């Protein structure tokens, strides 16, 4: 059996915060403002995986009210979430994703992000793709006030 899952996340951008996408730090004057490390792509991916397996969502699994998740490494959260998905009897067929950020450019870091996510999930790099858009200078993304990411994944029963 195959099941599809969708995830979306948005964070404010704040000066002096680190910009982390898929576990990769991208040099930037501003980064995601969040309780955790704010890795918006990894958060969207966690929700896609959990949603595909009908196992809840990131907020239920890792409540931001829990102080232990302050500045949490989102790749660790991804590993924990995927362990639940695997324990429920699923493997990953493929993942696709898109990040919307006005600047800096994300594409120079695409292969590093894919490597990082593939290592965290123990799947082939060919099973993961990451795309990037700007905000066309419009709205909160275009004015560098926010970043968002979407992820979709296909799971298959083991
Ligand atoms: Mg988030």
């Amino acid at each position: 059996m195959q099941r599809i899952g969708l995830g979306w996340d948005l964070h404010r951008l704040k000066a002096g915060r680190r910009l982390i996408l898929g576990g990769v730090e991208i040099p930037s004057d501003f980064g995601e403002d969040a309780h955790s490390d704010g890795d918006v792509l990894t958060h969207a991916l966690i929700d896609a995986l959990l949603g595909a397996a009908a196992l809840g969502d990131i907020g239920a699994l890792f409540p931001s009210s829990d102080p232990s998740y302050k500045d949490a490494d989102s790749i660790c959260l991804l590993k924990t979430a995927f362990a639940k998905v695997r324990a429920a009897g699923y493997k990953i067929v493929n993942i696709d994703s898109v990040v919307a950020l006005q600047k800096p450019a994300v594409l120079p870091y695409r292969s590093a992000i894919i490597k990082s996510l593939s290592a965290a999930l123990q799947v082939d790099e060919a099973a993961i793709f990451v795309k990037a858009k700007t905000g066309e200078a419009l709205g909160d993304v275009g004015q560098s006030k926010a970043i968002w990411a979407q992820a979709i994944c296909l799971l298959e029963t083991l």
Side-chain angles (χ1 to χ4, degrees):
M1 183 180 54
Q2 292 188 322
R3 294 178 60 105
I4 197 164
L6 173 69
W8 184 86
D9 195 25
L10 174 144
H11 283 264
R12 290 171 189 268
L13 291 171
K14 190 176 176 184
R17 288 274 306 184
R18 297 196 304 158
L19 178 63
I20 299 179
L21 286 174
V24 174
E25 182 164 355
I26 295 176
S28 172
D29 294 336
F30 44 80
E32 298 113 323
D33 192 18
H35 184 64
S36 68
D37 66 7
D39 185 338
V40 72
L41 174 59
T42 300
H43 294 179
L45 180 51
I46 289 170
D47 263 353
L49 289 163
L50 292 173
L55 287 173
D57 59 43
I58 188 170
L61 209 53
F62 310 109
S64 58
S65 56
D66 184 336
S68 65
Y69 298 123
K70 175 145 175 52
D71 298 322
D73 177 350
S74 295
I75 290 292
C76 290
L77 306 185
L78 175 65
K79 288 178 179 173
T80 301
F82 184 55
K84 288 185 182 293
V85 170
R86 204 169 29 204
Y90 296 103
K91 67 175 184 178
I92 291 168
V93 177
N94 78 301
I95 288 162
D96 192 17
S97 62
V98 57
V99 175
L101 177 67
Q102 188 62 33
K103 61 177 182 182
V106 172
L107 288 189
Y109 301 91
R110 170 154 67 194
S111 58
I113 292 169
I114 290 173
K115 262 190 176 54
S116 164
L117 293 175
S118 97
L121 296 169
Q122 302 276 292
V123 290
D124 283 354
E125 291 177 27
I128 302 175
F129 205 66
V130 177
K131 304 182 298 299
K133 314 290 282 182
T134 71
E136 292 285 346
L138 293 168
D140 290 339
V141 170
Q143 290 163 23
S144 289
K145 291 180 182 166
I147 178 171
W148 61 247
Q150 279 184 319
I152 192 164
C153 74
L154 188 65
L155 301 180
E156 192 169 56
T157 40
L158 286 164

